[in-house]
């Protein structure tokens, strides 16, 4: 008997095994994830009830994706690096928004493409220092960080070009929240800010069962 038949026979959603594995590993499911997403969307209440019994809270974001909060409190070095990466990129977009017709980068984020070689994270000595502090260099950016963001379902990467999926708005929410805070504007250490934002949001990359990209991520 296959897994779909088994779960259906005991009253669980049809794709709960696949969906649970993905969400527990930190994946953010959106339309691009195909049948897993659409089955959750069709039976959201049943999935939420089943996951709550396991100690997980499944969140449906207004931008149309699902993710877990709950048992895991892991805050890995990779996640700190990912948060810092996003903050630097969003700050660059914010600083230059008056030069663009839309003047609202957060509304057009999913339509943008970014060449990895032209990302702003190593354009100044200060930014290079911040990225190096979380173990990211220009040389290992793709293998150590962009691959991780792909696993989370936040970006897609092809041919040296990056574009965002709807789950990027989890980071946008954080940026906009703290950008409105005058204290955030005065903070000088962006690396420390990344850790503060991460902790406040409860962002995690699963329950610790993913294989680390390097020994420092444990």
């Amino acid at each position: 008997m296959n897994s779909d038949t088994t779960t259906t026979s005991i009253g669980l959603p049809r794709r709960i095994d696949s969906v649970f594995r993905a969400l527990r590993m930190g994946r953010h499911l959106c339309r691009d994830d195909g049948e897993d997403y659409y089955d959750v969307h069709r039976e959201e209440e049943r999935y939420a009830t089943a996951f709550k019994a396991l100690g997980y809270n499944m969140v449906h974001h207004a931008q149309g994706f699902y993710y877990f909060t709950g048992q895991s409190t892991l805050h890995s070095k990779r996640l700190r690096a990912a948060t810092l990466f996003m903050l630097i990129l969003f700050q660059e977009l914010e600083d230059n928004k008056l030069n663009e017709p839309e003047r609202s980068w957060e509304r057009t984020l999913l339509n943008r493409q970014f060449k990895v070689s032209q990302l702003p994270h190593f354009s100044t000595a200060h930014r290079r220092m911040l990225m190096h502090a979380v173990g990211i260099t220009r040389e290992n950016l793709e293998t150590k960080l962009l691959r991780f963001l792909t696993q989370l379902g936040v970006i897609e990467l092809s041919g040296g070009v990056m574009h965002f999926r709807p789950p990027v708005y989890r980071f946008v929410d954080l940026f906009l929240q703290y950008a409105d805070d005058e204290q955030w504007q005065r903070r000088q250490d962006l690396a420390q800010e990344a850790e503060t934002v991460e902790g406040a949001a409860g962002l995690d990359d699963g329950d610790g069962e993913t294989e680390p990209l390097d020994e420092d991520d444990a």
Side-chain angles (χ1 to χ4, degrees), residues 44 59-67 166-171 173:
E44 182 177 331
V59 178
H60 185 187
H61 193 277
Q63 288 289 337
F65 60 90
Y66 297 91
Y67 62 94
V168 72
Y169 279 94
R170 200 172 174 202
F171 289 95
D173 290 346

Side-chain angles (χ1 to χ4, degrees), residues 194-205:
E195 293 185 12
T196 302
V197 171
E198 173 192 332
L203 281 168
D204 59 65
D205 57 356

Side-chain angles (χ1 to χ4, degrees), residues 1-213:
M1 183 178 294
N2 63 38
S3 178
D4 284 354
T5 303
T6 301
T7 55
T8 300
S9 67
I10 60 176
L12 295 175
R14 183 171 63 89
R15 298 185 64 85
I16 192 167
D17 290 345
S18 176
V19 170
F20 182 65
R21 282 195 301 269
L23 293 177
R24 193 175 68 168
M25 299 296 277
R27 184 80 176 177
H28 293 58
L29 293 178
C30 67
R31 290 177 177 83
D32 296 340
D33 290 299
E35 188 58 29
D36 277 354
Y37 168 83
Y38 286 108
D39 203 56
V40 175
H41 190 65
R42 285 190 296 265
E43 300 194 69
E44 182 177 331
E45 185 174 348
R46 291 181 67 204
Y47 274 99
T49 299
F51 293 146
K52 186 174 183 179
L54 297 173
Y56 293 88
N57 179 38
M58 186 181 74
V59 178
H60 185 187
H61 193 277
Q63 288 289 337
F65 60 90
Y66 297 91
Y67 62 94
F68 267 172
T69 61
Q71 290 182 344
S72 175
T73 57
L74 176 65
H75 301 299
S76 72
K77 184 175 181 180
R78 287 180 299 172
L79 189 53
R80 289 195 295 273
T83 306
L84 177 63
F85 175 86
M86 292 297 184
L87 288 174
I88 290 175
L89 181 55
F90 294 162
Q91 188 63 64
E92 178 77 6
L93 295 173
E94 179 71 15
D95 290 344
N96 291 283
K97 70 179 182 180
L98 295 182
N99 299 325
E100 300 184 1
E102 300 88 354
R103 298 191 177 187
S104 182
W105 58 268
E106 65 274 16
R107 296 180 183 176
T108 61
L109 201 54
L110 299 183
N111 298 324
R112 294 172 178 261
Q113 292 186 336
F114 301 86
K115 290 185 177 180
V116 173
S117 61
Q118 296 177 4
L119 287 170
H121 300 76
F122 306 98
S123 60
T124 69
H126 182 61
R127 287 176 175 177
R128 288 194 298 272
M129 178 192 70
L130 293 174
M131 296 300 292
H132 290 175
V134 291
I136 303 300
T137 66
R138 189 186 298 275
E139 291 72 28
N140 68 20
L141 173 64
E142 186 168 339
T143 58
K144 291 193 66 174
L145 184 54
L146 298 186
R147 187 174 73 179
F148 173 60
L149 288 169
T150 301
Q151 292 170 350
L152 291 182
V154 174
I155 70 169
E156 287 189 5
L157 190 64
S158 177
V161 176
M162 178 186 80
H163 72 267
F164 288 118
R165 291 158 42 104
V168 72
Y169 279 94
R170 200 172 174 202
F171 289 95
V172 173
D173 290 346
L174 298 179
F175 177 83
L176 296 178
Q177 173 188 346
Y178 280 83
D180 288 338
D181 186 342
E182 291 183 1
Q183 292 183 354
W184 188 90
Q185 297 285 356
R186 293 196 296 267
R187 289 172 183 163
Q188 299 299 312
D189 189 347
L190 192 55
Q192 180 62 44
E193 176 60 20
E195 293 185 12
T196 302
V197 171
E198 173 192 332
L203 281 168
D204 59 65
D205 57 356
D207 59 1
E209 295 185 6
T210 54
E211 182 178 349
L213 296 181

